[in-house]
Amino acid sequence: RLPAWTPATASACSLSSAAPSIRLSPAARSLFDEPLAIAVQGLGPRQPVTLRASLRDETGELFQACARYQAGHDGELDLAHCPALPGGSFCGLEPMGLLWALQPQKPFWYMVKKDMQRPILLQLEVFDGHGDPPGRLLAQAQHERAFLRDGVRRVPVRDGRIRGTLFLPPEDPFPGIIDIHGYTGGGLFEHRASLLANHGFATLALAYYRYEDLPQEPTEIHLEYFEEALNYMLQHPQVKGPGVGLLGYSKGADLCLAMAAFLKNITAVVSLNGSMAITIVPLCYKDKTIPVLAIDEQRVKVIDSNILDLSDILMSPFQAPGNQSLIPIEKAEAQLLFIVGQDDHFLKSDYYATEVCKLLQAQGKENFQILSYPGTGHCIDPPFFPLYPIGNHPILRKRAVMGGELGAHSKAQLHAWPQIQAFFHKYLNDN
């Protein structure tokens, strides 16, 4: 069991009592999606230094960011007030740049986080000068980045057919959210659900293929499985009704929109870079099957080193015969929030969201809003998750551009996260 997390301010360790020291707030531990204030004291007047942040994920892969700074006349360096100089991972006044700019040292690597009960250890170092390689080590500190606030419970769910993990805040019933991930490798992804639970939601991270006894390579997906998960949440004593929220990323987003179209008691849906049509695997519900949106492999672009750009391979859902792949989103009674990256190369999610909202508006509906982010790619994670600009495409199963520019994408993750929470709090708590 983790010790209690408490916000505090204290000096981190330094190499000796006479050496400069790193000051962090909170001092020893913070939640992974929360900011961390970083300052260095005890430097020489106007001393040039390089700051480096490092962490290793659960596979041991290293992520790093560095920045060049100059201390003030008093030897103090506070990242909230001092701009980073050119030559590092970022420049300008970026108090949290060392966190959002973390990048894998192994190319094309996604940060693996499976065990939500173990914090990630962040290492901070201060080096003399702006050299490459860095100069003498002046100070260092370690800080834990946790995924569960004290008192939040992680409960494995094996109920009927459903497989997942429920994260429960302490005490009173809380609004419920089902979190459904994309179609990249299958399994169970808990990082987003665990962090949401810290903000007052009972959140179910739901697996739907290649996990335990679930299908390994489904040829179709049955909405009845997700209906069972919905009923599980509606009947849970610590889930506040009468409705549930859905949060879907990529393929998970089109599943959430289909749930909202066909099932009752869904109050609010957030779509992260999703489609308005069924993709990858056909969706079945009762006696109805929605076929997948067709692809045109002639539109594949080769970038370099066998990396593909597949942004144009999906046909328009409006050009498919009879619009058969379209999700009947106009049937949804839930409030809808579409979060899209304008540099998404997996799906034209900006286009899809705009077209969905035009369709809804034409029918006199007002239950939608769009947050559209420039320079933002496909993989929108909670704040401080490293940018993942190239990944394996779920249809062609080849390495492909996902998109995103480091600064813009990371700041979009920072901005979107509280918007998601506010949206769910508004529509799940007011009912």
Side-chain angles (χ1 to χ4, degrees):
R1 180 173 171 82
L2 297 176
W5 172 82
T6 53
T9 305
S11 295
C13 62
S14 60
L15 296 184
S16 74
S17 58
S21 62
I22 300 171
R23 190 175 71 245
L24 304 174
S25 178
R29 173 179 289 198
S30 55
L31 291 171
F32 194 90
D33 60 347
E34 290 186 333
L36 176 65
I38 303 170
V40 185
Q41 54 196 15
L43 298 169
R46 311 292 294 169
Q47 182 176 355
V49 290
T50 299
L51 271 62
R52 185 169 72 189
S54 311
L55 62 79
R56 290 188 183 274
D57 73 2
E58 288 172 8
T59 67
E61 291 300 331
L62 179 65
F63 291 74
Q64 285 190 327
C66 66
R68 296 175 174 180
Y69 287 96
Q70 187 176 50
H73 292 293
D74 56 359
E76 296 278 325
L77 172 61
D78 186 338
L79 273 57
H81 304 293
C82 296
L85 305 173
S89 304
F90 58 92
C91 62
L93 188 61
E94 299 289 352
M96 294 175 286
L98 286 170
L99 301 181
W100 63 245
L102 285 161
Q103 284 289 278
Q105 301 307 289
K106 181 178 181 177
F108 317 129
W109 191 256
Y110 182 70
M111 193 180 90
V112 177
K113 184 59 183 162
K114 297 285 188 186
D115 184 355
M116 299 304 124
Q117 294 175 302
R118 285 178 52 201
I120 283 179
L121 194 62
L122 180 70
Q123 178 87 21
L124 292 157
E125 298 164 296
V126 182
F127 299 95
D128 189 27
H130 294 159
D132 187 16
R136 181 170 60 93
L137 181 63
L138 300 176
Q140 61 184 355
Q142 288 188 334
H143 184 85
E144 289 185 341
R145 299 285 277 168
F147 283 76
L148 293 178
R149 196 186 295 276
D150 192 53
V152 175
R153 289 190 295 131
R154 178 188 179 276
V155 183
V157 175
R158 310 286 178 273
D159 189 90
R161 290 180 299 172
I162 65 172
R163 302 290 177 265
T165 303
L166 181 62
F167 292 93
L168 289 170
E171 297 169 4
D172 295 331
F174 286 92
I177 296 171
I178 301 174
D179 176 27
I180 305 176
H181 203 71
Y183 204 88
T184 47
L188 182 61
F189 293 80
E190 299 182 3
H191 60 283
R192 190 164 41 230
S194 66
L195 290 171
L196 267 179
N198 300 317
H199 298 281
F201 300 101
T203 314
L204 174 66
L206 185 66
Y208 58 99
Y209 86 105
R210 207 178 292 167
Y211 180 73
E212 295 188 356
D213 57 352
L214 295 176
Q216 289 296 301
E217 294 290 341
T219 55
E220 56 190 23
I221 290 176
H222 292 267
L223 199 63
E224 284 86 351
Y225 173 79
F226 299 91
E227 188 172 28
E228 198 173 320
L230 173 64
N231 290 332
Y232 170 83
M233 290 293 280
L234 289 169
Q235 293 162 14
H236 198 286
Q238 285 186 264
V239 174
K240 173 186 173 184
V244 166
L246 305 177
L247 172 58
Y249 158 64
S250 191
K251 172 63 185 171
D254 73 55
L255 291 170
C256 287
L257 293 172
M259 290 173 72
F262 290 106
L263 307 178
K264 299 295 183 187
N265 299 312
I266 293 167
T267 307
V269 179
V270 175
S271 164
L272 290 169
N273 279 334
S275 168
M276 62 192 299
I278 295 300
T279 59
I280 309 171
V281 185
L283 182 72
C284 305
Y285 184 54
K286 296 181 177 175
D287 57 351
K288 181 179 178 64
T289 297
I290 304 180
V292 298
L293 198 58
I295 65 169
D296 182 357
E297 294 196 32
Q298 300 297 314
R299 298 182 185 177
V300 172
K301 300 173 196 162
V302 180
I303 306 298
D304 69 311
S305 305
N306 294 318
I307 295 171
L308 306 178
D309 186 336
L310 305 175
S311 53
D312 291 324
I313 67 166
L314 282 171
M315 305 291 283
S316 167
F318 298 107
Q319 293 173 353
N323 299 340
Q324 290 178 352
S325 300
L326 277 175
I327 299 163
I329 302 171
E330 67 278 3
K331 293 182 179 178
E333 297 176 0
Q335 292 291 324
L336 308 171
L337 172 60
F338 298 93
I339 295 177
V340 296
Q342 293 177 18
D343 193 39
D344 182 353
H345 285 250
F346 264 29
L347 285 171
K348 293 191 171 179
S349 47
D350 196 19
Y351 162 76
Y352 287 140
T354 304
E355 292 303 310
V356 167
C357 294
K358 281 183 192 172
L359 185 150
L360 293 170
Q361 198 166 29
Q363 299 200 9
K365 289 184 168 276
E366 299 178 347
N367 62 328
F368 58 87
Q369 52 189 292
I370 300 177
L371 284 175
S372 183
Y373 293 98
T376 301
H378 185 68
C379 188
I380 298 178
D381 264 321
F384 311 121
F385 264 78
L387 169 65
Y388 185 47
I390 294 172
N392 290 317
H393 197 272
I395 299 175
L396 297 188
R397 306 200 175 190
K398 293 180 180 174
R399 192 164 277 160
V401 176
M402 299 181 84
E405 302 156 16
L406 179 60
H409 186 100
S410 302
K411 289 174 183 177
Q413 292 187 160
L414 265 171
H415 184 270
W417 189 237
Q419 303 296 318
I420 292 169
Q421 295 165 44
F423 175 79
F424 281 132
H425 275 303
K426 178 177 180 179
Y427 292 110
L428 296 179
N429 275 318
D430 288 354
N431 287 289

